[in-house]
Amino acid sequence: MQSQLFAVDFILLCMAYGASALSSTIPAASGSLPGNNFTSAAQSSGTDSSSFSRSRRRRFISQNDMLAILDYHNKVRGKVFPPAANMEYMVWDDTLAKTSEDWAHACLWEHGPSHLIRFLGQNLSVRTGRYRSILQLVKPWYDEVKDYSFPYPRDCNPRCPLRCYGPMCTHYTQMVWATSNKVGCAVHTCHNMNVWGSVWKRATYLVCNYSPKGNWIGEAPYKVGVPCSACPPSYGGSCSNNMCFPALKTNYLHWFK
C-alpha cells in the first residue's frame, strides 16, 4: 500500500481488508497514533444529549452520497470482465453503515474495530483538499482493475492465485466479490488524523463495510460464465443488468421510500 499523488491540491490513500489471512499486509499503525492526533466520536459530540443528537444527524452519510456509492458499486459489478455467472446485486445495509460511521469517527487510519473486522470486508479511503463528489474517494478502488488479472478456473488448482501487478488490488476485488451483497458506508471529516506518521488537517475519511466479507485467500471473486447462470436459488431466477437481482419482497428499496 503506497500513497498516490493524484493532483497538486490533494493526496488520497486507500486500504482494503477482506479475509483475516490478509491482515499481515495491513500496517499495525495503532501504536503510532497518540490520543491527541485524532478526533474520536466522543470528543466531537460533547456530553450534552441534545448536542449529541444534533451532531449524529449532521455526521450521517447523506442520501445522495449513499446512492452514488451504491450505484457505482452495482455498475462496476454488472460490467466485470470476464463476465460473472453469480454476481449478486448489492444493497445498502443500515447496520453496516452504522459500524462504518462509528469507525470513521474514530479517525484511525487502520482497519477495525477488531471485534467486527473478522466478519466484515472493509475498504478505506482518505484524502485532503477539495473534492466535488464522494466518488472521487471510491473510484481509486475500482482503478486497481488495470493491475488485476482474473484467475480463470484452469488456474485454480486447488487455490486461485492473486494476480495483482500493482501495489494493491483488494479494493477492487472486494467491490466485485460476488457474494458480498451488502454495503454500508460513512464519511467523516477528521481535523487531525495521523496517516502513517503524518498529521493530516481536515482529512476526509471514507469507510465502507461489506457483508458477507470477500477477499478470501485462494478464491476467485466470482464465477466466470453467462451472467446470472449461477445465481443462488434465493433469487428465484431474477436477473437485472447481469446481476442476480433480489425479489421485490426484500428490503432493497428501503432507502428509496
Side-chain angles (χ1 to χ4, degrees):
M1 292 170 278
Q2 300 176 350
S3 61
Q4 301 180 27
L5 183 61
F6 284 87
V8 295
D9 64 338
F10 70 87
I11 297 176
L12 184 146
L13 299 173
C14 300
M15 286 205 297
Y17 184 88
S20 58
L22 294 178
S23 61
S24 62
T25 66
I26 299 168
S30 58
S32 63
L33 295 172
N36 61 356
N37 280 349
F38 64 90
T39 303
S40 70
Q43 289 171 325
S44 62
S45 63
T47 57
D48 178 74
S49 60
S50 62
S51 173
F52 179 82
S53 178
R54 289 193 300 271
S55 180
R56 295 289 291 180
R57 285 196 297 270
R58 283 198 306 270
R59 293 185 318 217
F60 197 74
I61 192 168
S62 71
Q63 187 170 10
N64 284 342
D65 283 351
M66 182 277 292
L67 291 172
I69 292 171
L70 186 59
D71 183 60
Y72 188 77
H73 274 74
N74 279 317
K75 285 183 178 178
V76 167
R77 291 166 70 85
K79 296 180 179 179
V80 292
F81 185 84
N86 66 327
M87 185 65 69
E88 299 181 36
Y89 183 87
M90 185 170 279
V91 300
W92 188 264
D93 186 271
D94 286 335
T95 300
L96 291 175
K98 180 60 172 63
T99 60
S100 296
E101 182 187 15
D102 291 342
W103 190 246
H105 292 203
C107 293
L108 293 171
W109 182 238
E110 60 182 87
H111 290 286
S114 57
H115 69 281
L116 289 180
I117 203 64
R118 292 178 298 162
F119 311 104
L120 304 176
Q122 187 176 76
N123 278 352
L124 307 177
S125 184
V126 64
R127 62 172 289 153
T128 60
R130 302 181 299 274
Y131 74 97
R132 290 173 298 199
S133 168
I134 193 67
L135 294 185
Q136 290 176 261
L137 286 95
V138 178
K139 190 176 182 296
W141 299 342
Y142 170 73
D143 288 343
E144 294 172 358
V145 66
K146 68 182 184 299
D147 298 319
Y148 179 68
S149 179
F150 188 91
Y152 282 90
R154 62 177 178 271
D155 300 324
C156 304
N157 298 309
R159 294 159 65 86
C160 301
L162 175 61
R163 292 184 172 173
C164 183
Y165 301 98
M168 178 71 67
C169 291
T170 48
H171 297 99
Y172 169 72
T173 53
Q174 177 59 83
M175 291 182 76
V176 300
W177 202 271
T179 57
S180 292
N181 57 19
K182 297 178 182 178
V183 65
C185 306
V187 63
H188 182 61
T189 299
C190 299
H191 295 283
N192 291 286
M193 185 172 181
N194 192 316
V195 181
W196 291 330
S198 299
V199 177
W200 289 21
K201 303 293 184 180
R202 292 192 60 80
T204 301
Y205 190 25
L206 174 67
V207 177
C208 284
N209 286 340
Y210 301 82
S211 179
K213 72 188 300 180
N215 286 341
W216 292 105
I217 295 295
E219 295 185 15
Y222 57 83
K223 297 178 182 178
V224 176
V226 176
C228 299
S229 62
C231 291
S234 59
Y235 286 90
S238 181
C239 182
S240 178
N241 295 322
N242 299 326
M243 291 174 287
C244 312
F245 196 73
L248 291 178
K249 64 181 180 181
T250 68
N251 67 346
Y252 84 101
L253 289 177
H254 171 73
W255 272 84
F256 299 88
K257 294 180 180 178

